Amino acid sequence: MEDIKKTAILIPCYNESKTIEKVIKDHQAVMPHAEIYVYDNNSSDGTDEIARNAGAIVRYEYRQGKGNVVRSMFRDIDADCYIMTDGDDTYPAEFALELEKQIYSERADMVIGDRLSSTYFTENKRPFHNIGNVLVRKLINVLFKAEVKDIMTGSRGFTKAFVKSFPVTSKGFEIETEMTIFALDNNFKIVEVPIDYRDRPEGSESKLNTYTDGYKVLRTIGTLFRDTKPYLFFSIISLMLLLIGGAFFVPILINYFETGTVAKYPTLIVITAMWIIAIISFFSGVILQVLKKQHRHNFERYLNMLNEIWRKEG
């Protein structure tokens, strides 16, 4: 008897009463075999009741923030394929089938619904969001030597191994960035599928704040860069400290050759302290890189253990 695969559609929601019914109905029509989960995040407009009446399984996450919702979804739901979408009707449901196909064909551990290669820049009416998406994409691709086209899309597909091994630490909208960096750092298979994007319908407002959430995303990138590439991160800090110290030291050295005396002793003391910190920073990076490599080995063993358990169960 052939195993029946279970697909779960995950929809995090916060005040999406104007669009959630359509999102659910569209996915039911395209993927009648899938279970649809709506996680309500303290909505005050009846989103949960509308979703329940539309046929979705409704659950609640009372800690505010999309990252908190995704954490609960990934912990609670057991499936073979996970399709995540937004409740604002910006991602057409028919593209979910292609995400599912990539997962079940074992071509990807995470499938990214790539908006930026299709209609995003013409449909999205928020220019700073467009600039932010491009900036984050270029920054991550440079830091991680990748070629990901859409870092912050909310349309994604995942395998069970990815979902159950992903340690969610973000609380808000920076969760998509964290997912992408986690996949890149741990060598998960990533496939991007171009999808259409349509702007929110009239009366539906975005919960994303361009400036505060943009700052959180950039902070997350910096933190994850430090944690995933400590040798490079601390080497850059060391180099900057050495160069700054050198810029102040050269005039003192020139003055010494000209006069035979050392001027600006306080500056010299500060320069010495900076160079000591630079050396400490460099060797901290070396030590942390060794620990990171050991963590990577342990993570691979953990994935192998999970796969072996699921193979025996299935």
Side-chain angles (χ1 to χ4, degrees), residues 89-189:
D89 195 32
T90 53
Y91 305 114
E94 56 265 25
F95 290 97
L97 280 173
E98 181 60 28
L99 303 186
E100 182 187 52
K101 178 182 176 182
Q102 295 293 330
I103 294 298
Y104 282 140
S105 65
E106 299 183 356
R107 296 175 187 169
D109 297 296
M110 180 176 71
V111 190
I112 295 174
D114 174 18
R115 314 156 297 165
L116 303 190
S117 298
S118 59
T119 57
Y120 182 81
F121 293 110
T122 55
E123 283 288 320
N124 186 29
K125 304 302 188 297
R126 294 156 291 179
F128 286 110
H129 286 208
N130 297 342
I131 295 171
N133 271 283
V134 174
L135 174 63
V136 170
R137 177 180 65 184
K138 289 184 177 179
L139 187 57
I140 288 180
N141 283 336
V142 169
L143 293 177
F144 292 88
K145 298 180 181 179
E147 296 181 356
V148 180
K149 297 182 179 67
D150 193 348
I151 303 292
M152 300 173 68
T153 178
S155 174
R156 295 173 186 254
F158 309 99
T159 60
K160 185 175 184 179
F162 183 96
V163 165
K164 297 305 180 183
S165 64
F166 174 46
V168 181
T169 59
S170 299
K171 296 179 180 180
F173 283 102
E174 61 271 30
I175 181 65
E176 285 93 356
T177 304
E178 185 182 5
M179 288 175 180
T180 305
I181 293 177
F182 175 76
L184 290 170
D185 183 52
N186 290 287
N187 200 31
F188 279 104
K189 293 178 290 185

Side-chain angles (χ1 to χ4, degrees), residues 241-257:
L241 291 172
L242 289 173
L243 291 176
I244 293 171
F248 285 96
F249 178 72
V250 169
I252 297 175
L253 184 63
I254 293 173
N255 182 74
Y256 173 77
F257 286 134

